[in-house]
Every structure is written in C-alpha cells, then in structure tokens.
Amino acid sequence: MNHALVSLACHAYVVAALVYLAYLVRQMGALATTGRVLVGMGLALHGVALFGLFGAQGGRPVGMAQGFSTFAFLLLAIFLVVDVRYRKPVIGAFITPLAVTVLLPGLLLDGGGPLSPDVQRPLLPVHITIALLGVAASAVAAGVAGMYLLMERQVKGKRFGLLFARLPSLEFLDTLNRQLVVVGFIALSVTLVTGAFFSSAAPGFFWAWQSKQIATLVAWAVFAALVSARSFGGWRGRRVALLTMTGFGLLLVSFLSSYDFIHVSGGWR
C-alpha cells in the first residue's frame, strides 16, 4: 500500500515536472497553478506513505531506498514553500526533474536491513530527518545557484534569450540562495552534533575518519565559510553560487554512503 502511494506520488511529480518545463517555455498562470496542485497532491500521498512506512518500523528509517524517498519529499516540500511564498514557479522547471530523479531509486531499491540494536534510539528519526532536511535545502540552494550562473552568463554575454526572459532576477536568486544556505547550514550543524551522540552509542565509531564523515565535515566548513563571507565579507554573486554547488556536491557524497553507516553505528555526520 505504501509503495503504491509513493508510486502515485511519483506519477504526480513527473506530470508536474513536465508542466513546469512547459511553463519555462510559455509562462501561463494556468500552468503554474497546475504545477502547484500536482506537487501538493504528490506530497500529500507521499507524506501518508512515509508516515505509514515509518510507523510500521517503529519510527526508524531503514535503507537507502527510504533515504532517497524522504529526500525527494523534503526537496519538493521546500520548493513548494518557496513557490507559494515568492510566486516563482519557473524554479520548478529545475527542481521537480531533480526530485523525480532522486525518487526513482527509492521506488526501485530494496528497503534494506534493520538497524543495529545499539543505535535504535527514539530520537534517531529526528536526527535523520534533520540531516535530510539539510541536504534538501542545500539541493534547492544549489539549483538556485545554477540558475544564477545561467542568468549571469546571459547578462555578461549580452545574449538575452529565453532563459533571460523567464528566470528571476540575479538579485532575487542571490537572496534566495542566501536564505536556503542558512537553513541548510543550521540543519547540517545540528546533524553533526546529534551524529556524534548516536555514534557514541557504538564503541569505536565516534569518529572513524571515513570518507563520508570527512565529506560532511568539509561541506559544513564550506557552508560555514559561505555564511560568514556573506555576513561579514559582503560576498555575493558568482563565487557564492560556485561555493554553494561545491558544498552540495560534498553533501551528496556523504548522503550516498550514509545509510550503510547508520546500519552499523547509527550516526550520519
């Protein structure tokens, strides 16, 4: 039943992605409204499925498949909030295809085995959710950064084509990037602290200097430097966009290898 609901949600997301891509070509209000409704319907179905799935597992995430599924859910939830607040549906042309790409492995992969008994703690789902929220916020920030770079290239090259006419202004994209990076940085900071707590439950795993841990720590340092540079150094524009995409790339490396780790030690850091 839960798998069927996620499958239906995925179909809604696919249609929404096509609608938003159509909106990129022709900006009609009906397309924007249809895209929002489809994403909202998909999130409702997806949310019920995740709630039922985690409830059946005692609230604990199991396996990479559920990691991908939850990541896609949070990614689209953040996008929908941004779209409803700022009325910039064109962002959906970049975010919804990414979310569909992320969700498909969640439908195809096995659920995975149970977690180690040493780390089956009540607050572990909170830790994992915050971690995935940080990655999702960073993913949207990276998407916005990519849009900024495309827009900037057209402006500098004085090639005022379709994207220039459709994408939001450079100032808006830079401001939205800053807001999303702050959300991602806060979530990542909480993840590192709680990850150390859960790792301490299994002797020898507090900090093993594995590639996933190093990638997460470096990503945190990149976002910390980015937030500081924006706040105190006045950084804006291209270099901020490039750093955002670099930080997300490091987080992606950590995310793709994290679920094997939590089955052993219970921490995602």
Side-chain angles (χ1 to χ4, degrees):
M1 179 63 180
N2 292 323
H3 188 276
L5 289 175
V6 176
S7 180
L8 287 173
C10 186
H11 281 78
Y13 298 151
V14 169
V15 177
L18 294 174
V19 168
Y20 280 117
L21 288 171
Y23 182 85
L24 180 62
V25 177
R26 187 172 183 181
Q27 295 190 330
M28 299 173 57
L31 289 174
T33 301
T34 301
R36 293 186 189 110
V37 170
L38 286 168
V39 171
M41 290 173 57
L43 287 173
L45 294 170
H46 201 167
V48 170
L50 289 176
F51 183 81
L53 189 59
F54 292 152
Q57 297 165 176
R60 297 179 176 88
V62 178
M64 181 63 81
Q66 293 173 25
F68 277 117
S69 185
T70 307
F71 178 26
F73 175 84
L74 292 172
L75 184 64
L76 285 168
I78 292 172
F79 157 69
L80 189 60
V81 170
V82 170
D83 186 20
V84 170
R85 179 176 179 182
Y86 295 108
R87 297 294 171 175
K88 301 292 184 182
V90 71
I91 298 175
F94 296 84
I95 301 301
T96 51
L98 173 62
V100 171
T101 302
V102 169
L103 181 57
L104 286 176
L107 289 171
L108 299 176
L109 293 174
D110 293 330
L115 296 175
S116 167
D118 291 333
V119 295
Q120 291 185 8
R121 297 188 178 186
L123 292 180
L124 181 58
V126 178
H127 165 71
I128 298 298
T129 300
I130 293 174
L132 290 172
L133 176 62
V135 178
S138 301
V140 179
V144 171
M147 294 171 65
Y148 183 96
L149 294 175
L150 289 173
M151 189 70 166
E152 183 198 46
R153 183 176 181 180
Q154 292 220 337
V155 171
K156 285 187 174 181
K158 296 183 179 179
R159 296 191 299 270
F160 305 120
L162 176 66
L163 289 178
F164 180 83
R166 300 292 188 263
L167 295 183
S169 68
L170 288 174
E171 182 179 359
F172 172 81
L173 292 172
D174 187 70
T175 300
L176 181 58
N177 172 272
R178 175 180 57 80
Q179 295 171 345
L180 291 167
V181 165
V182 169
V183 172
F185 175 68
I186 292 173
L188 184 57
S189 299
V190 175
T191 299
L192 285 170
V193 173
T194 56
F197 168 74
F198 284 110
S199 293
S200 65
F205 283 97
F206 182 76
W207 190 265
W209 291 106
Q210 297 179 353
S211 59
K212 67 198 76 176
Q213 298 168 322
I214 295 173
T216 307
L217 185 60
V218 173
W220 179 87
V222 168
F223 283 119
L226 186 54
V227 171
S228 298
R230 272 189 174 277
S231 300
F232 304 108
W235 280 28
R236 298 184 64 186
R238 180 180 180 81
R239 56 185 173 181
V240 167
L242 291 173
L243 275 176
T244 300
M245 298 177 78
T246 299
F248 172 65
L250 291 167
L251 279 182
L252 195 59
V253 170
S254 177
F255 169 72
L256 291 175
S257 55
S258 290
Y259 270 79
D260 288 336
F261 180 61
I262 66 171
H263 283 198
V264 177
S265 65
W268 185 30
R269 301 168 294 165

